[in-house]
């Protein structure tokens, strides 16, 4: 009966660690003692404790008392079978640890370089996996497809696109659009073989939500047709998803929450089901909560994670500006408003469905006003893979991400080369020692194992560091990458498979490097003993080749770093045309608040007046599209009969003064430019030069939409949406006067003002202070207004080049790191060469060689390596340049000055690394050197 | 052939002398623990006995497996003449070294 209660783990340990009869008798003794202790009335706890102690002591004793593994022959005779395998490893291990501890510098560099390589690779490839390959968390995601379509190139059908994206076929260059009208969707769906699997949706960037308690919040949402949850195969953890019955015009409005929203905003209260949520002012009933992993249709986070999903029929309630008459839900039936995206599940592939949908869509297109049969022939439906939701189309992120993957792979390669070189040189310096051991009869395998043990130990140490770096820096790098790439906040855990892979690669490299000297040595050993230490030229060559390879790898990294540094410098020194310092701005979300309800213009003016009284504010204004924010508005105009397309921006009074944009002629938009007064605009210098060459545009009228406006001023040019885009012809109109200028917008928004404006403040106060004060100040005026996107103009500019800045930082970091490693390798190899040639140099000096000649003797070798590295590395950099072309600004990725500077830098740094050993060589005392011979 | 015996080896040989023929590893361990008051692990016993056996100081044989030992056999040891000689020599050396130190060495 005691058999059952014997401690299993120590038994297992003893079985593993001891061999043969030793195992048998020790286990027998342990068990016997255990049984007797219990029979003698001892407690189980005490008996077990003793079992443990005795087992461990036995293992330790059998290891500790083994004769030294260093004495060949004896071991085998002395103790047949007895723990031989472990015994040997144990002593190898101890020796390796001792050896590594004796050279802490070497160990630290090798482990740290491997660690950085592993950490960087794990972080980057984890993101690549999630962003580029992770499918939607639904059943059989491969069946999902996005439905896009192309119309005739010069179509006469008026199309108003809302929230659309387009896809360009890389071969035919045909553009396909994501958006359909609701009637188009209905027609396609009706003709579909399985209408249940075809659903409609679109995003809403911000929905203003009040929960009853607490201030309102703005969250991203999704409008989806009633079959959305069923077609996607999405479950809820609480309540139910909405269904077809909820997606009717007069059905009571319902909403499904994301798990994140439910926990964050509602405190994961299960009682939330059935409660009311006010979304953009309308009441919705909470019916369900989705599973935690569900982020909407963008697993890569390129679109904001969906917090609220509402039936598409409630669009008039939540997005009234998409329809002229909200109550009627007109946009559902409007035939020129393209606001519906379509996605579906196609178990049998998309080819057949594509043709069928094209036929349906052509028929439907013919019935549109102004369309004809010839035009309808150009209509074609195109299915795009939807397994990764909308991220399937984020082709532009692919290239920078893969580039980054290449960069970190180079870093790992660099670390492996470095490790290999270090281990190789270490192996060489231990040749004598190994040769002696071999001569004394140590087995070949034994020596190889001893060498490899050290390599593997180093890599495991490096792997541990890498793991720590990955865990610690992972979130940092992830945030850097995702903001740089325009993805949202991804919650990435460590990917252990990736960590394992990276560690595996490093171990393989280390083992290979450890093998080279070990195998060579263990072959013939007698000659080695008679030689002075080492010196076979071929081995010298191997380690020199490794150094050259390291230099070659660091060249493209360095070139990239310099390219990006210059590019970002060009971007940030581009003349803006306005003064960005001291500007703080924020967006006021009007939907559902007084800004929309009553007199929007008066409401904005009240908000602005309050904002101007914030501490340190010298002027305040409103703007439709803040500068360098990636957004533009534009419209077709008629200038003296010629049609033109101009950028436009609706602004408030004091805009030019606040932004620091000089007015070169006439007057700015002022407080007098109110609705009802005659509409005026200010044009920029580009527009003046293009459309009024050689004459004054002041007092001239242009036609925007249906109405004439007067040009009252000319402003200096300034950049609009991006640092990369030169100033284009543009006009500024008064935000209160836009009514009538844009009939479509007016009809869609149902308002005479652009609905969401940004407040811009010029202030001396720190942005952090204002950030705290702004929401409260705005709430004083409009209690349920939502303030979002508080930031400084400088932050906004920096964010607009986040990708470039991220690459710059990473490349400078990795390029510098690679260079440093190459230098360490170079220094080591050169020092070693000098120490080997001490006698030779002594003779040269004794025979009258000048110090300069000796210096050159050593540096020449360094130069050969550096030049070899550059010659290999430059073509690499050249070949990689197209990948970064789109991110360059003001220079070509094959910028010769950059390449030349990089090459010079590499050679210069290499000489610096070789300088110390070279000088040491030149200063060798002649007598001492000769004595060494 | 070296005749040096370590302290633990002496203890083992002396214990084996006490136990007479066919002392098992477990008995050796218990005997030493009882007389010296220090804990000894089975591993230490067998490792050291292996070394003594290699030097021909003891011989060993396997006993019958018992259920109490989980079906494992016992290892039984016997002191060989060479072992006895080595032990005698060491004892003589110790006695020579201790001569004249009696007042200091005798327990109080």
């Amino acid at each position: 009966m005691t058999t059952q209660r014997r401690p299993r783990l120590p038994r297992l340990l003893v079985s593993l660690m001891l061999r043969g009869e030793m195992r048998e008798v020790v286990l027998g003794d342990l068990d016997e003692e255990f049984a007797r202790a219990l029979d003698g009335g001892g407690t189980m706890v005490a008996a077990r404790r003793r079992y443990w102690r005795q087992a461990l002591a036995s293992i330790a004793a059998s290891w500790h008392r083994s004769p030294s593994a260093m004495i060949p022959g004896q071991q085998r005779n002395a103790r047949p079978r007895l723990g031989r395998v472990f015994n040997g490893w144990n002593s190898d291990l101890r020796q390796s640890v001792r050896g590594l501890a004796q050279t802490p510098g070497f160990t630290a560099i090798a482990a740290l370089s491997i660690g950085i390589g592993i950490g960087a690779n794990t972080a980057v490839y984890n993101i690549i996996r999630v962003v580029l390959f992770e499918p939607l968390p639904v059943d059989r995601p491969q069946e999902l497809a996005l439905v896009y379509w192309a119309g005739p190139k010069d179509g006469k059908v008026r199309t108003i696109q809302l929230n659309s994206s387009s896809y360009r076929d890389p071969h035919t260059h045909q553009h396909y659009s994501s958006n359909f009208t609701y009637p188009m969707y209905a027609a396609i769906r009706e003709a579909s073989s399985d209408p249940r699997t075809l659903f409609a949706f679109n995003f809403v960037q911000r929905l203003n939500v009040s929960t009853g308690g607490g201030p309102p919040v703005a969250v991203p949402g999704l409008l989806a047709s009633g079959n959305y949850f069923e077609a996607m195969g999405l479950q809820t953890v609480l309540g139910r998803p909405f269904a077809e019955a909820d997606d009717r015009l007069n059905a009571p409005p319902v909403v499904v929450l994301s798990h994140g929203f439910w926990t964050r905003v509602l405190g994961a209260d299960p009682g939330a089901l059935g409660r009311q949520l006010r979304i953009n002012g309308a009441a919705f009933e909470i019916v369900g909560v989705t599973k935690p992993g569900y982020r909407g249709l963008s697993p890569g986070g390129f679109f904001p994670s969906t917090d609220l999903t509402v039936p598409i029929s409630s669009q008039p309630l939540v997005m009234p500006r998409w329809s002229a008459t909200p109550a009627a839900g007109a946009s559902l039936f409007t035939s020129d408003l393209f606001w519906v995206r379509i996605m579906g599940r196609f178990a049998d592939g998309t080819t057949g469905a594509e043709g069928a949908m094209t036929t349906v869509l052509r028929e439907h297109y013919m019935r549109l006003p102004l369309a004809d049969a010839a035009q309808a022939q150009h209509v074609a439906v195109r299915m795009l893979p939807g397994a990764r939701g909308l991220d399937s189309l984020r082709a532009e992120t692919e290239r920078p991400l893969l580039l980054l993957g290449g960069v970190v792979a180079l870093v790992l390669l660099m670390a492996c080369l470095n490790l290999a070189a270090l281990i190789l040189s270490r192996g060489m310096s231990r040749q004598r020692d190994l040769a002696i051991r071999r001569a004394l009869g140590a087995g070949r395998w034994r020596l190889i194992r001893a060498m490899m043990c050290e390599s593997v130990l180093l890599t495991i140490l490096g792997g541990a560091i890498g793991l720590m770096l990955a865990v610690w820096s992972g979130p940092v790098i992830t945030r850097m990458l995702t903001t740089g790439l325009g993805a949202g906040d991804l919650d990435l855990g460590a990917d252990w498979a990736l960590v394992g892979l990276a560690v595996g690669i490093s171990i393989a490299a280390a083992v290979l490097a450890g093998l080279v000297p070990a195998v060579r040595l263990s072959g013939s050993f007698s000659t080695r003993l008679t030689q002075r230490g080492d010196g076979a030229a071929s081995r010298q060559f191997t380690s020199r080749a490794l150094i050259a390879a390291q230099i070659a790898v660091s060249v493209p990294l360095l070139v990239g770093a310099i390219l990006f540094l210059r590019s970002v410098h060009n971007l940030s020194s581009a003349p803006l045309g306005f003064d960005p310092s001291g500007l703080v701005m924020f967006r006021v979300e009007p939907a559902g608040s007084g800004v929309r309800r009553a007199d929007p213009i008066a409401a904005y003016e009240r908000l602005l007046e309050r904002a101007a009284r914030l501490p340190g504010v010298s002027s305040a204004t409103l703007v439709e599209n803040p500068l360098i924010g990636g957004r533009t508005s534009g419209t077709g105009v008629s200038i003296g009969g010629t049609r033109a397309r101009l950028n436009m921006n609706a602004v408030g009074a004091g805009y030019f003064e606040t932004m620091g944009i000089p007015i070169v002629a006439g007057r700015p938009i002022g407080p007098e430019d109110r609705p009802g007064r005659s509409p005026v605009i200010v044009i920029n210098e580009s527009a003046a030069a293009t459309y009024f060459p050689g004459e004054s545009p002041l007092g001239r009228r242009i036609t925007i939409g249906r109405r004439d406006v007067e040009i009252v001023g000319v402003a200096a040019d300034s950049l609009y949406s991006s640092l990369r885009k030169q100033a284009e012809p543009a006009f500024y109109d008064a935000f209160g006067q836009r009514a009538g200028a844009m009939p479509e917008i007016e009809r869609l928004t149902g308002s005479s003002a652009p609905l969401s404006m940004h407040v811009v403040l010029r202030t001396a106060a720190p942005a952090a202070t204002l950030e705290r004060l702004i929401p409260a100040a705005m709430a004083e005026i409009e209690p349920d207004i939502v303030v979002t996107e508080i930031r400084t103009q400088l932050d906004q500019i920096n964010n607009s080049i986040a990708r470039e800045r991220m690459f710059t930082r990473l490349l400078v970091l990795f390029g510098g790191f690679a260079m440093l490693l190459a230098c360490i390798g170079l220094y080591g190899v050169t020092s070693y060469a000098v120490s080997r040639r001490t006698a030779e140099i002594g003779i040269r000096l004794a025979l009258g060689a000048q110090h300069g000649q000796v210096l050159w003797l050593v540096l020449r070798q360094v130069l050969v390596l550096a030049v070899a590295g550059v010659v290999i590395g430059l073509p690499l950099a050249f070949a990689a340049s197209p990948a970064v072309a789109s991110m360059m600004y003001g220079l070509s990725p094959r910028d010769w000055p950059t390449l030349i500077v990089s090459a010079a830098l590499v050679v210069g740094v290499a000489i610096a690394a070789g300088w110390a050993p070279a000088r040491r060589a030149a200063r060798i005392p002649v007598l001492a050197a000769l004595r060494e011979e | 052939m070296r005749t040096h015996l370590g302290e633990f080896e002496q203890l083992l040989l002396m214990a084996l002398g006490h136990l007479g023929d066919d002392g098992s590893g477990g008995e050796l361990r218990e005997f030493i623990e009882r007389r010296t008051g220090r804990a000894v692990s089975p591993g230490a016993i067998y490792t050291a006995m292996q070394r003594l056996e290699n030097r021909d100081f003891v011989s060993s044989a396997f006993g019958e497996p018992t259920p109490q030992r989980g079906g494992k056999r016992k290892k039984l040891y016997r002191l060989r003449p060479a072992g006895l000689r080595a032990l005698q020599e060491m004892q003589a050396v110790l006695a020579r070294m201790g001569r004249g130190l009696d007042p200091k060495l005798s327990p109080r």
Side-chain angles (χ1 to χ4, degrees):
Chain A
M1 65 231 122
T2 50
T3 344
Q4 310 302 322
R5 298 148 89 183
R6 275 182 207 136
R8 268 195 222 152
L9 193 55
R11 278 182 67 83
L12 182 72
L13 281 177
V14 169
S15 312
L16 280 176
M17 298 298 198
L18 303 183
R19 302 264 137 190
E21 65 183 45
M22 185 71 170
R23 173 165 60 193
E24 178 174 358
V25 290
V26 168
L27 275 182
D29 275 15
L30 288 173
D31 290 351
E32 186 175 346
E33 199 186 351
F34 182 72
R36 255 193 289 150
L38 289 183
D39 292 346
T43 67
M44 179 55 99
V45 175
R48 286 177 71 97
R49 191 177 300 148
R50 183 167 168 84
Y51 198 109
W52 263 103
R53 201 170 49 225
Q54 291 289 67
L56 293 181
S58 294
I59 293 167
S62 69
W63 277 22
H64 185 67
R65 285 161 202 275
S66 64
S68 167
M70 296 298 294
I71 305 169
Q74 178 110 2
Q75 178 200 11
R76 231 161 295 155
N77 302 338
R79 21 195 54 245
R81 292 180 299 193
L82 191 78
R84 212 193 310 160
V85 172
F86 284 102
N87 223 348
W89 276 115
N90 179 40
S91 106
D92 278 350
L93 207 64
R94 261 184 296 164
Q95 245 202 328
S96 299
V97 170
R98 220 180 293 136
L100 291 178
Q102 272 166 6
T103 50
F106 163 85
T107 310
I109 289 166
L112 205 65
S113 61
I114 284 288
I116 291 174
I118 291 174
N121 274 274
T122 317
V124 169
Y125 280 98
N126 200 10
I127 293 171
I128 289 183
R129 181 183 60 80
V130 173
V131 170
L132 295 187
F133 299 105
E134 188 95 325
L136 286 170
V138 299
D139 282 344
R140 291 163 287 125
Q142 304 308 328
E143 291 177 7
L144 294 171
L146 292 160
V147 184
Y148 275 49
W149 73 289
K153 275 210 175 64
D154 48 349
K156 295 191 185 66
V157 173
R158 236 175 17 146
T159 60
I160 298 160
Q161 302 272 343
L162 287 169
N163 224 354
S164 69
S165 28
S166 74
Y167 168 80
R168 182 166 159 271
D169 189 292
H171 303 296
T172 63
H173 304 295
Q174 171 77 306
H175 281 267
Y176 294 91
S177 165
S178 64
N179 281 24
F180 297 81
T181 64
Y182 194 87
M184 274 177 168
Y185 160 68
I188 291 175
R189 190 169 173 213
E190 212 160 279
S192 157
S193 58
D194 188 0
R196 279 175 310 168
T197 60
L198 203 67
F199 59 88
F201 66 99
N202 208 344
F203 307 96
V204 187
Q205 289 281 336
R206 271 171 298 269
L207 289 171
N208 294 345
V209 184
S210 16
T211 52
V217 288
V219 296
L222 183 73
L223 294 166
S225 55
N227 57 340
Y228 168 70
F229 285 96
E230 194 198 334
M232 287 280 280
L234 284 167
Q235 314 285 321
T236 48
V237 283
L238 198 69
R240 62 170 178 94
F242 60 70
E244 296 281 11
D246 301 301
D247 188 20
R248 306 237 191 284
L249 265 185
N250 294 314
V254 294
V255 57
V256 174
L257 312 179
S258 75
H259 196 268
F261 181 89
W262 180 56
T263 9
R264 214 170 54 239
V265 181
L266 300 178
D269 176 12
L273 281 189
R275 284 226 296 262
Q276 299 282 313
L277 211 57
R278 290 196 85 79
I279 303 177
N280 282 359
F284 281 72
E285 187 194 336
I286 301 170
V287 293
V289 177
T290 56
K291 280 185 178 168
Y294 172 69
R295 300 174 49 88
L297 288 165
S298 172
F302 292 104
F303 293 84
S305 177
T306 298
D307 271 336
L308 304 177
T309 311
V310 296
I312 202 160
S313 61
S314 53
Q315 175 265 329
L317 287 174
V318 295
M319 295 305 287
R321 60 170 138 153
W322 285 1
S323 48
T325 48
S331 52
L332 291 184
F333 309 111
T334 316
S335 59
D336 58 355
L337 191 57
F338 291 75
W339 68 283
V340 174
R341 294 169 186 245
I342 305 179
M343 199 168 172
R345 199 177 262 288
F346 300 91
D348 313 322
T350 53
T351 337
E354 222 169 53
M357 284 188 198
T358 299
T359 315
V360 175
L361 204 59
R362 280 180 185 164
E363 270 171 34
H364 185 89
Y365 194 86
M366 296 227 313
R367 291 202 296 271
L368 292 177
L370 298 176
D372 55 43
Q375 282 193 339
Q377 283 315 300
H378 293 285
V379 169
V381 165
R382 173 71 185 267
M383 302 275 209
L384 300 169
R388 292 192 295 117
L390 293 157
D391 296 345
S392 313
L393 304 173
R394 298 297 293 198
E396 70 265 37
T397 15
E398 226 158 90
R399 191 169 257 189
L401 259 185
L402 293 180
L403 185 74
L404 260 187
V407 166
V408 291
L410 279 187
V411 170
L412 185 61
L413 175 65
M414 190 76 201
C416 287
L417 286 175
N418 180 61
L419 185 68
L422 285 172
I423 287 174
L424 199 62
S425 69
R426 205 175 161 76
M428 289 194 311
S429 63
R430 278 171 40 180
Q431 262 177 333
R432 248 176 105 79
D433 163 50
L434 291 179
I436 291 170
R437 284 169 68 179
R438 182 82 175 97
L440 288 175
R444 195 179 164 131
W445 161 236
R446 192 58 222 277
L447 290 185
I448 294 175
R449 202 177 63 177
M451 295 285 299
M452 287 196 333
C453 192
E454 206 168 271
S455 320
V456 173
L457 204 66
L458 263 182
T459 328
I460 290 174
L461 206 63
I465 293 176
L467 208 62
M468 278 181 339
L469 281 178
V471 168
W472 165 78
S473 70
V476 180
I477 295 186
T478 305
R479 204 171 322 121
M480 211 158 128
L481 282 178
T482 46
T483 50
L485 294 169
D489 48 330
L490 289 177
D491 185 24
L492 300 181
D495 184 325
W496 299 109
L498 274 174
V499 174
L501 186 67
V503 172
I505 291 172
S506 320
I507 288 186
V511 165
L512 276 180
L515 267 180
V516 174
V519 167
R520 271 232 190 97
L521 271 173
S522 51
S524 72
F525 54 87
S526 50
T527 48
R528 305 267 183 260
L529 267 180
T530 54
Q531 280 176 2
R532 280 197 58 235
D534 30 50
S538 63
R539 233 175 352 266
Q540 279 263 24
F541 176 78
T542 315
S543 62
R544 286 166 62 85
L546 281 174
I547 301 295
Q550 289 189 54
I551 295 173
V553 169
S554 59
V555 167
L557 294 177
L558 209 61
V559 169
I562 295 176
L563 279 177
F564 271 96
L565 275 174
R566 291 188 54 194
S567 202
V568 165
H569 177 261
N570 286 351
L571 279 169
S572 46
S573 56
L576 295 167
F578 63 94
D579 177 13
S581 53
L583 290 181
V584 172
M585 48 199 174
F586 56 94
R587 182 190 184 112
V588 279
E589 283 295 331
S593 71
V595 178
R596 216 190 83 72
R597 279 196 303 266
D599 178 358
I601 299 189
Y604 271 124
E605 278 169 351
R606 282 199 305 277
L607 290 171
L608 191 60
E609 187 271 330
R610 176 66 188 91
R613 284 192 283 115
L614 284 165
V617 173
S618 55
S619 67
T621 189
L622 291 166
V623 65
E624 175 193 11
N625 296 310
L627 300 186
I628 323 295
R631 282 184 294 244
T632 54
S633 301
T635 184
V637 298
S638 163
I639 306 169
T642 40
R643 291 197 60 79
R645 193 171 167 80
L646 291 182
N647 281 337
M648 63 178 184
N649 208 352
V651 300
Y655 177 75
F656 299 97
E657 178 204 338
T658 308
M659 296 303 291
I661 300 174
I663 295 290
V664 294
R667 67 167 180 92
I669 303 280
E672 69 274 22
D673 299 315
R674 300 183 54 77
R677 303 283 293 268
S678 87
V680 297
I681 59 168
V682 169
I683 61 173
N684 68 1
E685 279 183 303
S686 292
T690 312
Y691 300 107
F692 305 99
E695 50 183 322
S696 168
L698 297 181
R700 299 284 296 266
R701 306 189 78 83
I702 69 173
T703 313
I704 304 170
R706 282 176 305 209
R707 73 164 46 181
D708 280 357
V709 297
E710 185 194 348
I711 300 171
V712 294
V714 178
D717 276 347
S718 60
L719 300 187
Y720 191 177
S721 64
S722 143
L723 291 178
R724 290 172 174 278
K725 268 200 188 136
Q726 297 302 315
E728 291 166 344
F731 69 84
Y732 302 89
D733 54 343
F735 87 96
Q737 290 187 334
R738 184 162 281 186
M742 292 280 297
E744 285 99 45
I745 295 273
E746 190 189 347
R747 186 171 63 76
L748 293 177
T749 56
S751 160
S752 58
L755 270 147
S756 183
M757 295 291 285
H758 295 255
V759 176
V760 186
L761 308 173
R762 182 163 287 282
T763 170
T769 318
L770 286 178
E771 207 166 323
R772 281 201 315 276
L773 299 175
I774 286 168
M778 294 298 100
E780 282 173 25
I781 308 299
E782 294 286 338
D784 53 355
I785 199 157
V786 181
V787 173
T788 56
E789 300 178 33
I790 304 177
R791 72 261 189 234
T792 66
Q793 178 73 58
L794 288 171
D795 282 346
Q796 171 141 318
I797 291 173
N798 280 340
N799 285 343
S800 78
I801 50 171
R803 183 185 294 187
E804 287 83 354
R805 283 158 46 91
M806 169 198 73
F807 268 97
T808 309
R809 253 180 283 167
L810 285 179
L811 279 171
V812 166
L813 194 74
F814 291 147
F817 171 67
M819 217 44 245
L820 182 72
L821 285 186
C823 279
I824 290 167
L826 203 55
Y827 174 85
V829 160
T830 315
S831 301
Y832 177 69
V834 167
S835 75
R836 288 252 312 107
R837 296 173 71 180
T838 305
E840 179 206 325
I841 292 168
I843 292 171
R844 281 172 187 267
L845 286 170
L847 291 179
Q850 295 300 305
H851 282 193
Q853 287 172 306
V854 174
L855 210 60
W856 172 242
L857 187 76
V858 178
L859 281 183
R860 199 179 51 196
Q861 295 208 342
V862 174
L863 265 183
V864 167
L865 287 183
V867 170
V870 168
V871 166
I872 304 167
L874 276 187
L876 284 180
F878 213 76
S881 58
V884 297
S886 69
M887 281 180 278
M888 294 290 106
Y889 181 77
L891 76 166
S892 139
R894 293 183 174 169
D895 183 51
W896 282 109
T898 300
L899 293 179
I900 290 166
V901 166
S902 312
L905 198 64
V906 168
V907 173
V909 169
I911 289 177
W915 188 256
R919 238 170 46 138
R920 212 181 303 133
R923 290 187 177 172
I924 286 174
V926 176
L927 278 178
L930 291 177
R931 218 176 285 130
E932 209 167 277
E933 182 60 346
Chain B
M1 164 71 75
R2 80 194 168 105
T3 53
H4 168 79
L5 287 174
E7 184 230 7
F8 189 56
E9 291 167 322
Q10 291 181 53
L11 292 181
L12 283 169
L13 289 181
M14 289 163 93
L16 197 54
H18 279 289
L19 292 173
D21 284 350
D22 294 338
S24 74
E27 287 165 337
L28 280 171
R29 189 171 48 76
E30 262 174 36
F31 191 87
I32 292 175
E33 282 187 353
R34 208 163 51 233
R35 285 275 174 111
T36 65
R38 72 186 193 196
V40 184
S41 74
I45 298 277
Y46 291 112
T47 320
M49 288 307 284
Q50 180 77 54
R51 210 154 44 218
L52 291 173
E53 196 177 349
N54 290 340
R55 291 164 70 181
D56 257 353
F57 290 171
V58 297
S59 61
S60 72
F62 278 107
E64 289 306 305
T66 62
Q68 216 183 18
R69 295 179 60 84
K72 306 273 192 308
R73 294 174 299 175
K74 247 181 207 178
K75 200 160 188 188
L76 305 172
Y77 292 98
R78 187 172 292 196
L79 191 59
R80 290 186 48 111
L84 188 61
R85 254 198 322 275
L87 188 60
Q88 284 163 349
E89 249 170 62
M90 276 315 288
Q91 289 295 312
V93 167
L94 285 178
R96 276 200 300 277
M97 287 303 293
R99 202 173 298 149
L101 282 176
D102 300 351
K104 283 186 184 168
L105 287 178
S106 60
R108 260 165 284 178

